[in-house]
Amino acid sequence: MSIIDENRRLEDIDREFIWHPFTQMKEWLEEKPIIISEGRDCFIKDIYGQWYLDGVSSLWVNIFGHRKKEIDDAIKEQLDKISHSTLLGLSNVPAIKLAEKIIQVVNSSIIHHPSSLNKVFYSDNGSTSVEVALKMAFQYWKHKGNNEKNVFVSLKNAYHGDTIGAVSVGGIDIFHEAFGPLLFKTYKAPSPYCYRCDLGKEYPDCKTACLDRLEEIFREHSDEIAGFIIEPLIQAAGGMITSPPGYLAGARELCSKYGILMIADEVATGFGRTGKMFACEHEHVVPDIICLSKGITGGYMPLAVTLATDEIYNAFLGEFKDLKTFFHGHSYTGNPLACAAAIACLDLFEKEQVLKHLDKKIEILETWLKEVLHLKHVGDVRNAGMMAGVELVKNKKTKELYDREEKTGWRVAYHARNNGVFIRPLGNIIVIMPPLSISEQNLRQLLRVIKDSIIEITERS
Ligand code: PMP
């Protein structure tokens, strides 16, 4: 079979058998799928040999580029020992070493006082790390003898994953509304979305009124609130919505004041994306529980951790008969290959001083964002470090949205794709989140193609 025939066969089989996530399959079936066969540094290659700049880090996971030798080697080395054994009733070497390392990294980054986030609970992906956090927080209060605290507070525009618990604390109508009848009760606080403020106010005159609203919810319902979950600094999937300075620290204070556990979902923001190892660091916030995934393995393997304080962990200690055990765990919990990749990834952070080299790239990105803000159909630009969003609008003065059917964000992404850059928008928000290792030259190329694509789609066609 010729290569062309084999490629066509792969396309047909994909269309026939794969149900792609977050994808309208009717549209997918009408298009020619891009099938990736290889990757190198910040580029991915399709089966026809076309290379694309990976502008979204393979869905926000890749940190050091593809085929990073140190991570490749760590996985190969682990393969020669064992690929998987369970953490239920056993332990394994990479899971232990990673736990030590991750606690050390978290402690040296966000914790400035001893005895805090010292317990690591493994799972496989961001959504499960959130499920674990919610169940832990809920059960913690039961073990403390408080049976009233059964409700979570989350934010409008929040995204914490796709499992039902994570969807319950989500706040993106187009993704989450359909599942309403299945979801547990939550209180939703306004999104700290200054460009489209729910409270109709303007920053900084508002004096962060969204925090006052959060406090009202806490004050009225603290007896029943188990925890508050937040994506620190930036609501990523909600549209790269950056919260105003002080919001995160203010939310932390309120959680402490009203006896509410703070869960920081750093699945997207963790591991350097915001310019610091963890987003919580920017406002010196120490959460009670932190969820980490995506970049933890450098974008190689599915792995997540939920870190909890000693206080939470200790509440689960008891006699076997007390049933204080945390009854949660997955088949691949603490998978040795994934843990080996994560150890290599954390070593690379040290070895390559990744965070130190980010400043210049963030500067390039921010300069570019200021430039594109002048474009006719760019309403707002936002970033937290290397996570950025460009909000396209039909009318800049009125902030009128494009009709969904126009698929403006997607058309920009397709245009970029035809010019060698892979990006995936969130509605009409263009997302820019390349691997942290991207060279300045490739970053400039990425930004140039995206800007040209925005102009071409919003001004010329
Ligand atoms: N939390 C946040 C903040 C996320 O951005 C995501 C994924 N985009 C998740 C949780 C869910 O992660 P996963 O897709 O690995 O389940």
Side-chain angles (χ1 to χ4, degrees), residues 59-60 124-130 159-162 166 231 234 236-237 265-269 293-294:
L59 241 293
W60 313 354
D124 329 310
N125 59 67
S127 307
T128 52
S129 75
V130 167
Y159 179 84
H160 297 290
D162 295 331
E231 293 159 85
I234 180 164
D265 175 354
E266 292 236 23
V267 167
T269 52
S293 184
K294 288 194 186 277

Side-chain angles (χ1 to χ4, degrees), residues 205-279:
D205 294 345
C206 65
K207 301 201 172 66
T208 332
C210 45
L211 261 186
D212 299 337
R213 181 67 198 116
L214 184 67
E215 177 158 20
E216 275 169 39
I217 296 173
F218 283 5
R219 194 185 307 117
E220 272 171 45
H221 305 285
S222 63
D223 290 353
E224 47 169 329
I225 297 173
F228 168 60
I229 182 161
I230 181 171
E231 293 159 85
L233 233 56
I234 180 164
Q235 293 187 292
M240 294 290 161
I241 299 166
T242 47
S243 52
Y247 181 87
L248 180 65
R252 168 69 270 186
E253 267 178 41
L254 293 177
C255 286
S256 303
K257 179 171 169 188
Y258 291 96
I260 289 164
L261 294 177
M262 183 187 205
I263 302 170
D265 175 354
E266 292 236 23
V267 167
T269 52
F271 303 102
R273 293 282 177 198
T274 66
K276 292 191 186 285
M277 199 60 174
F278 303 105

Side-chain angles (χ1 to χ4, degrees), residues 353-366:
Q353 294 288 298
V354 184
L355 299 178
K356 281 204 183 123
H357 297 136
L358 277 185
D359 288 353
K360 178 68 187 158
K361 295 181 214 177
I362 294 171
E363 194 188 308
I364 293 170
L365 179 60
E366 288 181 345

Side-chain angles (χ1 to χ4, degrees), residues 43-307:
F43 291 86
I44 45 179
K45 187 176 102 174
D46 73 15
I47 49 176
Y48 292 98
Q50 168 75 46
W51 286 91
Y52 304 86
L53 243 177
D54 187 355
V56 286
S57 307
S58 295
L59 241 293
W60 313 354
V61 297
N62 195 288
I63 303 273
F64 298 101
H66 301 276
R67 308 256 342 251
K68 184 73 180 168
K69 188 176 181 323
E70 289 83 347
I71 308 181
D72 288 0
D73 288 348
I75 295 172
K76 285 177 194 161
E77 205 178 296
Q78 183 57 37
L79 267 175
D80 285 336
K81 295 178 181 143
I82 186 168
S83 296
H84 184 64
S85 82
T86 180
L87 273 198
L88 278 69
L90 289 175
S91 200
N92 73 64
V93 177
I96 294 170
K97 289 189 174 165
L98 177 60
E100 181 187 34
K101 186 126 202 126
I102 200 109
I103 292 290
Q104 181 206 329
V105 170
V106 169
N107 271 288
S108 59
S109 304
I110 59 177
I111 314 293
H112 301 291
H113 57 83
S115 180
S116 212
L117 289 158
N118 282 325
K119 301 296 173 195
V120 177
F121 195 96
Y122 284 110
S123 64
D124 329 310
N125 59 67
S127 307
T128 52
S129 75
V130 167
E131 296 290 334
V132 167
L134 296 172
K135 287 173 74 176
M136 256 179 198
F138 172 85
Q139 214 177 350
Y140 164 78
W141 290 113
K142 305 285 155 287
H143 294 337
K144 296 296 272 187
N146 190 328
N147 289 314
E148 306 295 312
K149 284 180 167 284
N150 293 326
V151 182
F152 288 91
V153 179
S154 59
L155 297 179
K156 287 258 187 65
N157 291 321
Y159 179 84
H160 297 290
D162 295 331
T163 48
I164 287 298
V167 171
S168 297
V169 290
I172 303 177
D173 289 347
I174 60 163
F175 298 163
H176 301 145
E177 213 170 18
F179 301 103
L182 299 181
L183 308 181
F184 55 69
K185 174 178 162 180
T186 55
Y187 292 113
K188 298 274 184 254
S191 169
Y193 186 5
C194 297
Y195 181 63
R196 296 184 189 277
C197 177
D198 272 353
L199 307 173
K201 305 205 180 239
E202 293 239 351
Y203 182 80
D205 294 345
C206 65
K207 301 201 172 66
T208 332
C210 45
L211 261 186
D212 299 337
R213 181 67 198 116
L214 184 67
E215 177 158 20
E216 275 169 39
I217 296 173
F218 283 5
R219 194 185 307 117
E220 272 171 45
H221 305 285
S222 63
D223 290 353
E224 47 169 329
I225 297 173
F228 168 60
I229 182 161
I230 181 171
E231 293 159 85
L233 233 56
I234 180 164
Q235 293 187 292
M240 294 290 161
I241 299 166
T242 47
S243 52
Y247 181 87
L248 180 65
R252 168 69 270 186
E253 267 178 41
L254 293 177
C255 286
S256 303
K257 179 171 169 188
Y258 291 96
I260 289 164
L261 294 177
M262 183 187 205
I263 302 170
D265 175 354
E266 292 236 23
V267 167
T269 52
F271 303 102
R273 293 282 177 198
T274 66
K276 292 191 186 285
M277 199 60 174
F278 303 105
C280 282
E281 279 177 68
H282 291 271
E283 299 203 355
H284 310 291
V285 159
V286 183
D288 299 292
I289 298 179
I290 185 166
C291 305
L292 302 170
S293 184
K294 288 194 186 277
I296 192 169
T297 61
Y300 267 64
M301 314 270 301
L303 181 74
V305 297
T306 305
L307 302 189

Side-chain angles (χ1 to χ4, degrees), residues 10 61 67 93 118 171 177 337 400 407 419 454:
L10 287 171
V61 297
R67 308 256 342 251
V93 177
N118 282 325
E177 213 170 18
L337 290 175
E400 185 189 347
K407 296 187 74 186
N419 288 281
I454 294 174

